Amino acid sequence: MKWSYIGAIVVGAYFLFPLYVLFLLAFNSPTITILARYPALLPISLTLNNLVVSLQGSAFIDPLVKSLETATLVGVITLVLAVPAGYGLSRLPRAIAYPFLVLLLVTNMMPAIVIGIPIAVEFIKLHLFESVEGLALAQTLITLPLATFILQGTFSSIPSDLENQARVDGAGLLRRLFSILLPIAAPGIAAAFLISWMFSWDEFTYAILLIPYHSTLPVTIYSDVTRGNLLAGVAFSLVFTIPVIVLTFALQKYLRGEYLAGGIKA
């Protein structure tokens, strides 16, 4: 048990260290971080000047709004498609459902750059290029298989006797779905939405291919960093992190193994 705690601490420190470095860059004087030969790893001279100067001299509101719109739209579209797909797969025999789930997940293994270019060509024809709606539809290709996988496991965990009893009482499919299944499956649905939202929030490849001129915040951060404006990139990164932290804490009770087990649990 002791080694488990040590392992958890080491893994936690490994994942939190980049955030700590981001904090140092944002709130320490540049003379002891990015301009120093040996950057300090301690908060020595905390200041807000880095953030104030960077945010005043850069336009990040529009990219931030586009990122919020895109991630939220991706979460909604994903649920609209994944809920019926997950429910349908949960009612199929495993011999049919599992190969289909594996096939869905295999599509996520394809590099985004490979399928992003033909999608961009088609979206130009459909007038979806350089639009939030087009970007959300493309990013749904990433989130839909995983959300379907999660919801298939969620619906499979609901006893079929509940649905059979409602069917005997005369409830149709839609009534069973909205009155019985969806309320019970709410934690899994929330988990699927959160995962989809977070996958879309920092997605980069589709954003730079499909909405390159007035893009989302990840592309804006990349542009600022590559132009040498590192402090602006740091400031944007902090702003970029806040919605993720807020949403994660708001829905953290759903981020548990039983809601994310998907088809493995069924």
Side-chain angles (χ1 to χ4, degrees):
M1 182 62 71
K2 182 175 67 176
W3 289 106
S4 301
Y5 286 119
I6 294 175
I9 292 172
V10 171
V11 172
Y14 178 77
F15 282 103
L16 289 177
F17 184 71
L19 283 178
Y20 178 68
V21 173
L22 184 66
F23 172 83
L24 292 178
L25 290 173
F27 296 106
N28 265 344
S29 170
T31 56
I32 63 172
T33 54
I34 59 175
L35 300 180
R37 184 173 182 180
Y38 300 103
L41 289 178
L42 294 174
I44 297 175
S45 59
L46 296 180
T47 177
L48 292 175
N49 287 339
N50 300 336
L51 297 181
V52 173
V53 172
S54 299
L55 296 178
Q56 284 179 343
S58 303
F60 75 99
I61 296 297
D62 184 60
L64 176 64
V65 171
K66 282 190 176 178
S67 290
L68 288 171
E69 290 177 344
T70 304
T72 305
L73 193 56
V74 168
V76 172
I77 295 174
T78 299
L79 287 187
V80 168
L81 298 176
V83 166
Y87 170 74
L89 288 172
S90 72
R91 296 303 181 257
L92 289 177
R94 292 186 179 185
I96 299 175
Y98 284 156
F100 192 81
L101 283 171
V102 171
L103 183 63
L104 282 178
L105 294 173
V106 165
T107 60
N108 271 6
M109 299 177 186
M110 296 180 65
I113 191 71
V114 173
I115 55 178
I117 293 175
I119 288 176
V121 173
E122 294 299 323
F123 277 14
I124 290 174
K125 300 176 184 175
L126 297 172
H127 303 289
L128 289 172
F129 189 72
E130 198 65 27
S131 70
V132 170
E133 293 80 8
L135 179 59
L137 286 173
Q139 291 184 347
T140 302
L141 293 172
I142 302 174
T143 58
L144 183 58
L146 185 57
T148 303
F149 179 75
I150 294 172
L151 290 174
Q152 188 272 341
T154 300
F155 285 117
S156 295
S157 67
I158 299 175
S160 58
D161 289 343
L162 288 175
E163 191 176 0
N164 293 334
Q165 183 61 48
R167 186 184 291 112
V168 171
D169 293 339
L173 176 60
L174 291 179
R175 185 174 179 184
R176 296 199 305 273
L177 189 65
F178 286 100
S179 300
I180 299 175
L181 297 175
L182 291 186
I184 298 175
I189 294 172
F193 176 83
L194 179 60
I195 295 295
S196 302
W197 194 94
M198 293 178 70
F199 265 70
S200 172
W201 180 241
D202 65 349
E203 206 285 328
F204 184 84
T205 305
Y206 285 120
I208 204 167
L209 286 175
L210 300 176
I211 188 168
Y213 302 115
H214 301 89
S215 194
T216 54
L217 198 53
V219 179
T220 303
I221 293 174
Y222 171 77
S223 299
D224 276 305
V225 171
T226 54
R227 291 170 185 165
N229 194 0
L230 185 58
L231 287 180
V234 171
F236 291 172
S237 298
L238 280 180
V239 175
F240 192 62
T241 307
I242 292 173
V244 177
I245 295 174
V246 171
L247 192 62
T248 301
F249 274 97
L251 300 178
Q252 62 176 321
K253 63 181 179 180
Y254 301 122
L255 293 179
R256 294 187 296 189
E258 57 265 39
Y259 301 137
L260 302 176
I264 294 176
K265 190 176 184 300

